[in-house]
Amino acid sequence: MDVGKPYKATPKAKLPPIEALLKTMLEEKLVDKVLGAKVDKDVTQVKPEAIDKAENVKDMNMPAYVAFNFSKMDSASKFLHKSMGGALNSKVGMFARPCDMRALVELHKRRQVNLDNLITIGIEEYGQVEQKSLKKYFTDKKIDPTKISSVRITSPEKVEMVIDGKSQVFPFDATLQICRNCSNCRNKLVRNADIKASFLSGDVILTPVTKKGLDAMEKAGKLLDYAESSFDGEALLKEMEAKGKAKQLQEIAEFRKKTPEQKMAALGSCTACGICIRACPVCFCVDCILMAKRKAKKIDQYTFQLSRIAHIADTCVQCGKCDSNCPKALPLNIYFNDIAMQLEEKYGYVSGRSIDDVPPRANVTDMRARYKRH
Amino acid sequence: MDYLKVVFDVVGLGSDRITLEYCSAAEGAKYAEFTRSYTEKIRKIGPNPIFKKK
């Protein structure tokens, strides 16, 4: 096997490829813990869990994770940082979506996560299905979500679900769709991961990117069969990135036409509930002053939201968790996207792209010293 | 400063509401002049859009 070459992975026994990789990492003691997923009530509700014994790695229904992401406020990067100690003192194997990968890079820069202790499987995917309208879609079409055993997005236009053992194809429409933030995404390529796992075609195609990844993949050879593949996910993702960027530029152009009053008024319905802070994978201050002031009721909604935007905008990885979890449906993404776009134009800085990029707000010498100490 | 200006523009406060100017302790006249002119500028811009709404 060679670094950088795609291999089609088929399970020898029943265990699917990602699970087999995680299990091997634990068995071979490459890592102390792995991040797993478990299906909660139905496949649309996937929850993260920390696993430390190889025998506990079971079929995790990865296709459901790929299609729906972790439910509500959970994300792989947030779970690693909050519940697994950020891999600072232990080694962790995990999978991550491209936005999680960016969040990990940002957290690594701020010494909250140690990428050297991580073996990451970056997932190439079409995007996440919009959760908000999903329930309505299921009731409209009289689909019982508990009867769905598997879900797979086969192209940007349709999703395939196995209901009661029968495979059915559903085209995306106004209620069933890829969430706005994923269809606008301009950073779809998996960067900085050790292994790339492509779920774009029907098969799982693994590409070792680093030596660490290659080692893990070779050791997983007893559970998986590898066949060289010619599948090129990158071209497909680049095409999607270009489309996403065009969409986002259009959205931002419309946003910029608004008057300052309208822009401010859109934030006015904020209740300062703090869900955006709890859902954000890159919000990590232990003593959050906004949360403290919110508890003491010493902050108004504008100050709350504006402070948050000013504080986090250059770290923001555009994962869309704040936007999709907001109970008041504030259009937070557009503010972050606009700032990110301007930072890219002004400083050439894209958050989460590389661990060597220094954030525009940081002291350059300070940041360089931090990298060395890592 | 540049970063904050971007943020102020995006959220709708307007980047002309913030400024940073260096004055040494010996430059009393410059300080007074700058303060006066900036106060005038801010008066011209008028109150914050949040308060206009109410």
Side-chain angles (χ1 to χ4, degrees), chain A residues 356-374:
Chain A
D356 301 322
D357 286 351
V358 178
R361 225 157 36 116
N363 177 328
V364 175
T365 39
D366 175 48
M367 284 302 281
R368 290 214 174 114
R370 277 197 219 179
Y371 293 140
K372 273 183 196 155
R373 260 187 283 145
H374 214 335

Side-chain angles (χ1 to χ4, degrees), chain A residues 42-80:
Chain A
D42 52 65
V43 288
T44 64
Q45 310 274 322
V46 188
K47 283 212 148 66
E49 61 173 344
I51 304 172
D52 50 6
K53 283 193 184 107
E55 61 264 27
N56 291 346
V57 181
K58 290 178 206 120
D59 187 352
M60 304 191 293
N61 207 341
M62 279 308 284
Y65 166 76
V66 173
F68 296 119
N69 198 355
F70 286 131
S71 62
K72 292 182 185 142
M73 291 195 276
D74 289 320
S75 57
S77 43
K78 176 106 193 162
F79 188 79
L80 175 86

Side-chain angles (χ1 to χ4, degrees), chain A residues 151-154 157-161 168-170 172 176:
Chain A
V151 183
R152 202 169 67 78
I153 300 175
T154 47
E157 282 93 36
K158 51 186 185 278
V159 61
E160 188 185 299
M161 294 193 231
Q168 291 180 43
V169 175
F170 298 87
F172 285 126
L176 180 76

Side-chain angles (χ1 to χ4, degrees), chain A residues 151-311:
Chain A
V151 183
R152 202 169 67 78
I153 300 175
T154 47
S155 77
E157 282 93 36
K158 51 186 185 278
V159 61
E160 188 185 299
M161 294 193 231
V162 181
I163 306 168
D164 265 343
K166 265 181 274 169
S167 168
Q168 291 180 43
V169 175
F170 298 87
F172 285 126
D173 56 25
T175 43
L176 180 76
Q177 56 187 335
I178 287 182
C179 76
R180 209 193 83 225
N181 204 58
C182 283
S183 57
N184 282 0
C185 188
R186 58 194 169 92
N187 286 310
K188 283 236 172 248
L189 285 182
V190 174
R191 290 184 176 87
N192 306 303
D194 294 309
I195 301 169
K196 279 196 278 188
S198 166
F199 282 79
L200 295 169
S201 64
D203 314 303
V204 179
I205 288 152
L206 302 174
T207 315
V209 183
T210 61
K211 266 197 163 167
K212 241 189 324 187
L214 182 72
D215 185 36
M217 268 181 71
E218 274 174 349
K219 279 177 177 159
K222 58 183 190 232
L223 292 167
L224 295 171
D225 280 323
Y226 296 119
E228 277 192 40
S229 157
S230 58
F231 182 75
D232 187 12
E234 216 150 279
L236 204 61
L237 289 170
K238 274 190 182 148
E239 199 182 300
M240 278 154 69
E241 268 186 357
K243 267 188 201 164
K245 192 167 182 180
K247 258 190 187 176
Q248 204 178 82
L249 280 174
Q250 195 191 350
E251 211 173 70
I252 287 174
E254 260 167 48
F255 175 72
R256 284 183 187 162
K257 277 186 211 148
K258 285 187 178 174
T259 61
E261 285 82 1
Q262 282 172 327
K263 285 183 183 176
M264 285 299 265
L267 296 174
S269 59
C270 174
T271 56
C273 66
I275 281 183
C276 44
I277 293 175
R278 285 195 288 147
C280 181
V282 291
C283 261
F284 62 80
C285 302
V286 181
D287 294 316
C288 179
I289 192 163
L290 290 176
M291 292 295 250
K293 284 202 167 168
R294 181 183 76 89
K295 264 189 188 157
K297 299 208 165 129
K298 275 187 186 157
I299 195 160
D300 68 285
Q301 74 269 42
Y302 293 107
T303 321
F304 183 87
Q305 227 18 277
L306 294 180
S307 318
R308 203 184 111 73
I309 290 174
H311 178 58

